[in-house]
Amino acid sequence: MAENKEEILEEEIAEDTQTAAEEVSEEEVTEEETAKTAEESEEEEKADTAGDEENEASEEKGDGKKGFFKKKKDKKDEQIEELTDQVKRQMAEFDNFRKRTEKEKTQMYDMGARSIVEKILPVIDNFERGLAGVPEENKEDAFVVGMDKTYRQMLTELETVGVTPIEALGKEFDPEYHNAVMQVESEEYESGVVAQELQKGYMYKDSVVRHSMVAVVS
């Protein structure tokens, strides 16, 4: 009987030890699961926070893009740009018109002045012929002096508006300025040089009004 009691007591002690061990194991497992669950919860919270920040940033970018495209599509801005472009075009057209008008006015003025000069040149020629035919002893007469002053005054006024005589005598013949009407022999000038000026030529600014009528050395 004593042996049976001891065996029973040992079995009870063994059972109690095993139960205690199992309880400790269960507590450790529970603690590990609790710690794991806490870590997972913390990671989930971080992920949620990062996701929220990304969403906010995306929304801000989205709002900025929406605002940008909305500004581009604004009818008022489009109308302002269209009107500004029209004003610039009209200003450019007006500036071109102004320049073209000024050029046409200058051309018309030059044509009118050239026409008047062409009509005055024969008068200048008559003055020159008349003064050249005055005898040497009569050049100091009041009438001759008056004609000479009038002639020189006309040349001065023509020069102020751009009319200048063409140099011919002693110059090499140039068909752009000279009109050769005859050939002559000359010991003073070489061949191809203007030896005589039969009628003086004139220029108005940069264009020839009348070519010089000349005789060229053959």
Side-chain angles (χ1 to χ4, degrees), residues 14-215:
E15 288 178 359
D16 292 337
T17 303
Q18 185 176 359
T19 301
E22 289 178 356
E23 289 178 355
V24 170
S25 299
E26 288 178 357
E27 289 179 358
E28 291 178 354
V29 170
T30 302
E31 289 178 357
E32 290 179 358
E33 289 178 353
T34 302
K36 185 176 182 181
T37 302
E39 290 178 357
E40 291 177 351
S41 299
E42 186 176 355
E43 289 178 358
E44 288 179 356
E45 287 179 359
K46 290 181 179 179
D48 292 339
T49 303
D52 293 338
E53 291 177 354
E54 290 179 357
N55 291 333
E56 288 178 359
S58 300
E59 288 177 358
E60 288 179 357
K61 290 181 179 179
D63 292 340
K65 290 181 178 179
K66 288 180 181 178
F68 178 78
F69 288 114
K70 184 178 180 181
K71 185 177 181 181
K72 275 193 171 182
K73 293 180 181 179
D74 193 348
K75 291 183 178 180
K76 290 183 179 179
D77 291 339
E78 290 179 356
Q79 290 178 353
I80 291 172
E81 290 178 0
E82 184 177 355
L83 293 173
T84 302
D85 184 64
Q86 290 179 0
V87 170
K88 289 181 179 179
R89 289 177 181 274
Q90 289 178 356
M91 290 178 66
E93 291 177 359
F94 178 77
D95 188 56
N96 292 333
F97 171 76
R98 180 181 58 80
K99 291 179 180 178
R100 185 170 60 252
T101 302
E102 289 179 355
K103 185 177 180 179
E104 291 175 353
K105 286 182 178 180
T106 302
Q107 291 176 347
M108 292 175 65
Y109 175 81
D110 290 343
M111 289 175 63
R114 182 188 178 94
S115 177
I116 293 172
V117 170
E118 289 175 351
K119 293 177 181 179
I120 292 176
L121 289 181
V123 179
I124 301 296
D125 296 337
N126 291 332
F127 269 99
E128 290 176 348
R129 293 190 189 99
L131 292 172
V134 175
E136 189 68 28
E137 63 271 13
N138 296 330
K139 286 187 176 181
E140 298 298 327
D141 292 349
F143 178 74
V144 177
V145 173
M147 286 185 60
D148 183 66
K149 288 183 178 181
T150 303
Y151 164 71
R152 295 183 184 280
Q153 184 179 3
M154 291 183 67
L155 290 180
T156 302
E157 293 301 326
L158 288 173
E159 188 175 357
T160 57
V161 297
V163 179
T164 54
I166 297 174
E167 295 183 5
L169 189 62
K171 301 293 183 180
E172 186 176 354
F173 174 75
D174 188 344
E176 291 186 3
Y177 303 103
H178 308 142
N179 180 22
V181 295
M182 60 186 297
Q183 289 184 338
V184 295
E185 299 292 333
S186 175
E187 296 180 356
E188 184 179 359
Y189 300 109
E190 297 179 356
S191 177
V193 176
V194 176
Q196 295 179 11
E197 186 179 46
L198 307 176
Q199 187 182 55
K200 189 176 292 185
Y202 289 89
M203 293 187 65
Y204 173 64
K205 295 183 178 180
D206 296 329
S207 62
V208 176
V209 177
R210 187 177 73 182
H211 290 75
S212 298
M213 190 180 296
V214 298

